Amino acid sequence: SAYYGPSHEVFRRKCRDFVEAEVRPHLEEWIAKKAYPLDLHQKALAAGLPTAGLQKDVQARYPSAMVPSEGFDAFHELIYLDELAAVGPGGALGQCGINSMALPPLLFAGSPLVQSQVDEVIQGRKNISLAISEPSAGSDVASIRTSAVLEQDVYVVNGQKKWITGGHMADFFTLAVRTGKSGPGGISLLLVDAKTPGFRVRKMDM
């Protein structure tokens, strides 16, 4: 491709070598178990591969040695997805894709305290999921009902979420809640630890 430079070729080789060594030999076993070992994320990072996407805010948190001098671009991400898809079905490293959706809002708008809580996601030690959909609100995000009310210095959250991809693997959730009036203007995002008292996760029976 005319859009590929030396860093893209180097990155493709990294992706392919990792997939052939760490994914392909185990894929059938993981498909049977419907899960892959989460230390695969740490191995991916050690090999110079992303654990939470390649958005600019995320790139800044990766070890500098793994980021090309000109930065990652959309074609690097295409290469990454292409090499993962080439190994076959099974969703290996699929949670990294979920991390890539749930993490950027926190890095863009979160306080330093919030951002520090998710460093282990970048390190491949923990995972985060984006919790927006509800039993009564899927693509119609403006209709979510889960509420968050500030009481003294904490938010008390009440409501349900559903169809949260990777929710059973997540250590944190970027949670869409209603803190104000109806409609999109009343929605906020909270970072919620999965171990928070009263917070329950149940895997859907399919």
Side-chain angles (χ1 to χ4, degrees):
S1 170
Y3 297 101
Y4 285 7
S7 71
H8 297 95
E9 299 304 326
V10 169
F11 188 65
R12 182 179 292 280
R13 176 49 57 191
K14 284 183 181 179
C15 292
R16 186 166 299 178
D17 288 348
F18 181 81
V19 165
E20 292 299 326
E22 301 290 348
V23 177
R24 189 183 295 278
H26 312 289
L27 192 61
E28 293 300 324
E29 175 189 352
W30 296 343
I31 291 174
K33 291 181 177 180
K34 298 182 179 180
Y36 64 87
L38 295 185
D39 65 357
L40 190 65
H41 294 182
Q42 295 176 54
K43 292 179 179 179
L45 185 67
L49 305 186
T51 53
L54 295 174
Q55 293 88 345
K56 288 186 177 180
D57 289 330
V58 177
Q59 287 185 43
R61 314 285 284 217
Y62 286 134
S64 58
M66 72 174 272
V67 181
S69 59
E70 70 276 19
F72 287 114
D73 59 27
F75 293 103
H76 289 99
E77 190 150 19
L78 177 62
I79 288 168
Y80 174 70
L81 296 174
D82 187 42
E83 292 298 325
L84 280 179
V87 76
L93 291 175
Q95 182 62 36
C96 291
I98 306 305
N99 293 343
S100 76
M101 292 188 286
L103 197 59
L106 304 178
L107 299 181
F108 176 75
S111 67
L113 176 61
V114 165
Q115 294 187 25
S116 70
Q117 298 297 306
V118 294
D119 279 342
E120 287 187 288
V121 176
I122 295 288
Q123 296 164 8
R125 300 180 184 277
K126 291 189 176 181
N127 293 299
I128 186 169
S129 284
L130 186 62
I132 295 178
S133 297
E134 300 180 357
S136 59
S139 58
D140 183 12
V141 177
S143 295
I144 66 168
R145 298 177 181 177
T146 297
S147 65
V149 178
L150 185 62
E151 295 187 3
Q152 296 182 356
D153 60 345
V154 298
Y155 279 98
V156 177
V157 177
N158 284 286
Q160 292 179 307
K161 297 294 179 181
K162 193 173 183 181
W163 306 293
I164 307 306
T165 307
H168 63 293
M169 299 171 65
D171 301 282
F172 301 102
F173 291 84
T174 300
L175 193 71
V177 294
R178 186 161 300 285
T179 54
K181 62 183 180 181
S182 61
I187 295 175
S188 301
L189 294 178
L190 296 180
L191 173 65
V192 178
D193 192 310
K195 295 180 181 178
T196 300
F199 192 90
R200 296 187 298 275
V201 176
R202 179 176 64 85
K203 191 171 183 178
M204 292 176 62
D205 296 325
M206 302 296 287

